[in-house]
Amino acid sequence: MHPALVIPEILLHIFTDLEGPTAWQNLARCAQVCTAFRGPAMELLWNGSTPLPFYAVLNLFPRDLIPILPYLRGFIRRPYPRDWSEIILRSPRIHKLFHSEASTHPQVMKHIEERSILYPGRQVQFFAPPQLSEMFFQCLAFHSPVPLQQLFSNLKHLEWTSSDLYCCLPFISDSIERLTLCSEAYELGFFQELQTRMPGKRLKEIRFTSRVVTDTRDQMELDSVDDLRSFLVGFNQLRRVTLDRHFATGEVITILGTLERVEYLEIIGTLYEQTLETSMAEARRARLAMFPSLHELAITLNSRNIPFFQDSQSITSRMLSTFKVIYNGNSAGHLRDLFAIIASRWPELRSLHINPPIGFYEFIEKDTKIMDLYQKPERISRIARSFITEEIIKPLLDLTLLEELVIEWPYPARLDNRVLKDMVTFWPNLRYLYLTPIPFVILPERPFIHFEDLAIFGQSKSLEKLALFCDATYPRPTHSRMGDMSRLNISAVDPSQCMSLRSFEPGYSWINHPHVVVSRFKQVFPNASLPRWIIEDRRSRWGEVARRVWSTL
């Protein structure tokens, strides 16, 4: 073994990269390798960024106490005081804990090793995550020699996904700083009971979601919304808030807006028009400062509620730097209105993301007739209003501090040299530009942006990542013309100054001779890395695009 691998600081840096739902399993395996690995691995296992699953804690009990069953309702026998010795000793070290009755993380469903996942020397009891019933948690709380709040006295991060959230209440204490809850229904009075267990109101992050988030126009009424509004009052240390749209009523948003330290707000699901109409009315009447410290906002909009969003929002924070929008639609006209609102309200914005909702194109992909219709030339004139053109992008040019622009759109962008030059001129700090490199609709016409136009970005001194859908097709080069074909038009660009660009993502760009494209691109951006292109890959969508390009040439 290399001598550097016995230094704890180096091992901690290496083990930190073990992220994901199964990080705790990987760390447990590392702890069993050798004595040098055990200390750093166990330190991250207990105090790392990944929460520990609750069913892993059950391995601290004796084998004859908990049955090896897929569904647990209680102990096999009455537990003795000595049965709690291991869990009493080690539970104060647990800072992050999660439980999911349906195993939210798919990778967690993998079998557990034959040896213990918490510490070496014990045989594990569960080879698959068991489902813990409500009766089991009642049994656990009843037989525990001390209250569960004292048993997990240092618990700061709790994630709980269950149909009955009352099972998590015994674990709630005033030390909790991050709370994530997910359930089909939040019973009336739950948040009142939750509030009594957190008198100090030290929460810094909450995430309250429902397993069913629909985007229908009918609003789902939740009886616990009023309880949530009362619960949120006084949490002045709250910094990050994530709610689904069923909780995002006007009254709840108004309460959140008065909390001075909220930096992040995310609302899952398309905002209700009623929410947008009533959310800021009370604040305007009382002249309240709404979200004075907000840094990042993430919401879902569609073509219907953009006008309501323009009239209702009155965020007073001058520190808002990131705005992420899940846009449910394909109307470029409404997108232009949204860009105009953003540019007028938050001129100091630094990061803007526009993405479609997950599964937005699935209904089209399953219908072959619609797919064929999108590929017909006469279809282009009918969808011309949906292209991202100079008129759509123009309002964003007022965001002179913009550093990151991500737009994922169904159709390829139609931008000429003048617009690309304006981007370089008006956005001197732009580091990442992502303009639909993988459009959903691959039109039979050539891409509007040509590969030669990318030389314009050579004038940017800060651009690091570039992703565009462009036309990079060239005639087949011969040996005599190879020198001329491999030279890009860089008369207005100084290659010695184009050192910032690190990566270029062509997506589904039309590329017939990758070696020619690479040689041309390297002239302007010598430090940029390009992906490998596999033209004859018939199993991918790129193969379909490549075959269409070859037939067009």
Side-chain angles (χ1 to χ4, degrees):
M1 186 169 64
H2 196 278
L5 295 180
V6 299
I7 302 176
E9 290 77 8
I10 296 179
L11 292 175
L12 284 173
H13 182 72
I14 296 174
F15 294 158
T16 304
D17 295 334
L18 299 176
E19 298 292 340
T22 58
W24 56 275
Q25 290 183 355
N26 298 328
L27 290 171
R29 297 186 183 102
C30 292
Q32 301 172 19
V33 173
C34 61
T35 305
F37 282 21
R38 180 179 179 181
M42 295 300 294
E43 177 67 22
L44 290 178
L45 179 63
W46 296 107
N47 303 322
S49 59
T50 303
L52 190 70
F54 182 77
Y55 65 81
V57 181
L58 299 182
N59 291 282
L60 296 174
F61 288 102
R63 291 190 59 187
D64 60 344
L65 184 62
I66 299 180
I68 305 178
L69 297 174
Y71 189 77
L72 300 184
R73 294 181 175 86
F75 298 126
I76 296 180
R77 57 172 175 79
R78 184 180 182 87
Y80 301 110
R82 64 176 181 270
D83 297 332
W84 295 85
S85 58
E86 288 289 345
I87 193 170
I88 291 177
L89 176 63
R90 300 183 182 274
S91 57
R93 301 181 61 183
I94 299 178
H95 296 271
K96 301 176 182 180
L97 190 68
F98 87 83
H99 166 68
S100 175
E101 64 180 16
S103 296
T104 304
H105 304 293
Q107 297 183 3
V108 172
M109 294 301 296
K110 294 181 179 180
H111 72 279
I112 306 175
E113 292 183 325
E114 293 184 357
R115 302 185 68 182
S116 175
I117 59 176
L118 293 179
Y119 55 93
R122 289 176 60 93
Q123 184 178 4
V124 75
Q125 300 178 32
F126 298 107
F127 294 92
Q131 293 189 12
L132 307 179
S133 66
E134 176 187 357
M135 188 181 301
F136 176 82
F137 289 102
Q138 294 177 356
C139 179
L140 184 68
F142 177 78
H143 290 286
S144 177
V146 295
L148 295 181
Q149 295 95 326
Q150 299 180 15
L151 194 64
F152 298 91
S153 57
N154 295 324
L155 190 64
K156 298 183 181 301
H157 177 184
L158 180 63
E159 297 183 14
W160 205 274
T161 300
S162 174
S163 56
D164 185 5
L165 291 179
Y166 277 92
C167 298
C168 74
L169 290 178
F171 299 89
I172 301 295
S173 65
D174 210 21
S175 63
I176 298 291
E177 296 181 356
R178 180 179 176 183
L179 182 60
T180 299
L181 301 177
C182 180
S183 179
E184 292 94 344
Y186 291 75
E187 297 182 12
L188 187 63
F190 170 76
F191 288 108
Q192 294 180 359
E193 181 67 24
L194 191 64
Q195 186 176 8
T196 59
R197 297 175 180 268
M198 311 178 73
K201 296 183 180 295
R202 300 177 182 177
L203 272 178
K204 296 181 179 180
E205 180 178 349
I206 61 172
R207 182 182 178 90
F208 298 155
T209 59
S210 173
R211 289 183 178 178
V212 181
V213 179
T214 59
D215 279 338
T216 59
R217 299 186 64 181
D218 297 333
Q219 182 171 355
M220 177 186 288
E221 297 292 342
L222 293 179
D223 297 334
S224 58
V225 171
D226 292 336
D227 292 343
L228 175 62
R229 180 182 58 182
S230 303
F231 168 77
L232 292 174
V233 175
F235 281 94
N236 295 322
Q237 299 185 26
L238 199 60
R239 297 179 182 274
R240 298 178 63 89
V241 179
T242 301
L243 303 173
D244 69 21
R245 67 171 190 161
H246 306 135
F247 287 117
T249 63
E251 295 78 6
V252 171
I253 293 180
T254 302
I255 294 296
L256 291 174
T258 59
L259 303 180
E260 298 180 353
R261 298 188 180 183
V262 175
E263 300 175 352
Y264 175 86
L265 175 62
E266 179 183 0
I267 299 176
I268 301 175
T270 305
L271 285 172
Y272 293 111
E273 297 176 6
Q274 181 181 359
T275 299
L276 293 172
E277 289 177 339
T278 61
S279 59
M280 305 301 174
E282 183 178 349
R284 286 197 297 266
R285 287 195 301 266
R287 297 182 180 180
L288 298 175
M290 299 299 294
F291 299 100
S293 302
L294 193 66
H295 287 78
E296 183 174 344
L297 177 63
I299 59 176
T300 302
L301 297 173
N302 56 24
S303 58
R304 297 188 186 95
N305 57 23
I306 285 181
F308 297 96
F309 175 73
Q310 179 179 8
D311 297 335
S312 63
Q313 69 86 22
S314 59
I315 297 176
T316 59
S317 174
R318 302 184 64 86
M319 296 179 287
L320 186 66
S321 60
T322 303
F323 187 30
K324 297 181 180 180
V325 178
I326 303 298
Y327 182 68
N328 194 350
N330 59 356
S331 173
H334 293 96
L335 191 63
R336 177 195 57 206
D337 297 338
L338 178 61
F339 288 164
I341 297 172
I342 295 173
S344 61
R345 300 281 185 171
W346 305 300
E348 298 180 355
L349 197 69
R350 297 179 182 272
S351 179
L352 176 61
H353 291 235
I354 306 293
N355 298 99
I358 299 176
F360 183 67
Y361 305 126
E362 289 183 356
F363 70 98
I364 298 180
E365 291 179 339
K366 296 178 181 178
D367 195 328
T368 56
K369 294 183 179 179
I370 297 181
M371 287 294 294
D372 295 339
L373 181 62
Y374 271 97
Q375 309 301 332
K376 293 183 178 180
E378 58 269 17
R379 178 68 178 172
I380 300 176
S381 59
R382 299 175 58 185
I383 62 177
R385 299 178 181 179
S386 299
F387 290 114
I388 296 180
T389 59
E390 176 185 4
E391 182 183 2
I392 307 301
I393 294 292
K394 187 176 180 180
L396 294 181
L397 297 178
D398 295 334
L399 303 176
T400 56
L401 301 179
L402 194 65
E403 298 179 359
E404 186 173 325
L405 178 61
V406 176
I407 299 179
E408 184 66 52
W409 198 245
Y411 311 105
R414 287 193 168 188
L415 303 175
D416 54 15
N417 295 353
R418 182 175 54 184
V419 181
L420 300 182
K421 291 180 181 178
D422 291 341
M423 290 181 179
V424 176
T425 303
F426 289 94
W427 298 333
N429 301 323
L430 190 66
R431 296 183 294 103
Y432 183 26
L433 179 61
Y434 183 100
L435 286 178
T436 316
I438 307 177
F440 174 75
V441 179
I442 305 296
L443 300 174
E445 64 175 8
R446 288 178 177 270
F448 198 80
I449 301 175
H450 197 272
F451 184 72
E452 302 284 345
D453 300 334
L454 300 186
I456 297 174
F457 294 102
Q459 303 175 8
S460 175
K461 298 181 180 180
S462 58
L463 188 64
E464 299 178 1
K465 296 182 180 180
L466 179 63
L468 285 173
F469 178 75
C470 60
D471 180 10
T473 57
Y474 296 94
R476 185 179 301 275
T478 61
H479 181 73
S480 60
R481 296 183 56 196
M482 191 62 189
D484 297 334
M485 287 296 299
S486 62
R487 294 194 60 81
L488 188 63
N489 183 15
I490 58 174
S491 57
V493 180
D494 184 4
S496 62
Q497 299 180 359
C498 307
M499 308 296 290
S500 61
L501 192 69
R502 300 298 179 183
S503 65
F504 172 65
E505 175 57 51
Y508 290 160
S509 295
W510 288 27
I511 301 174
N512 57 345
H513 300 297
H515 57 283
V516 176
V517 175
V518 172
S519 60
R520 285 172 170 253
F521 195 79
K522 284 294 184 179
Q523 296 178 42
V524 183
F525 307 102
N527 293 334
S529 61
L530 294 95
R532 295 178 178 269
W533 294 299
I534 304 177
I535 298 180
E536 297 299 333
D537 187 2
R538 296 180 178 274
R539 292 175 297 178
S540 67
R541 194 171 179 181
W542 163 245
E544 176 188 349
V545 177
R547 289 192 297 273
R548 187 178 300 130
V549 173
W550 279 104
S551 62
T552 305
L553 295 178

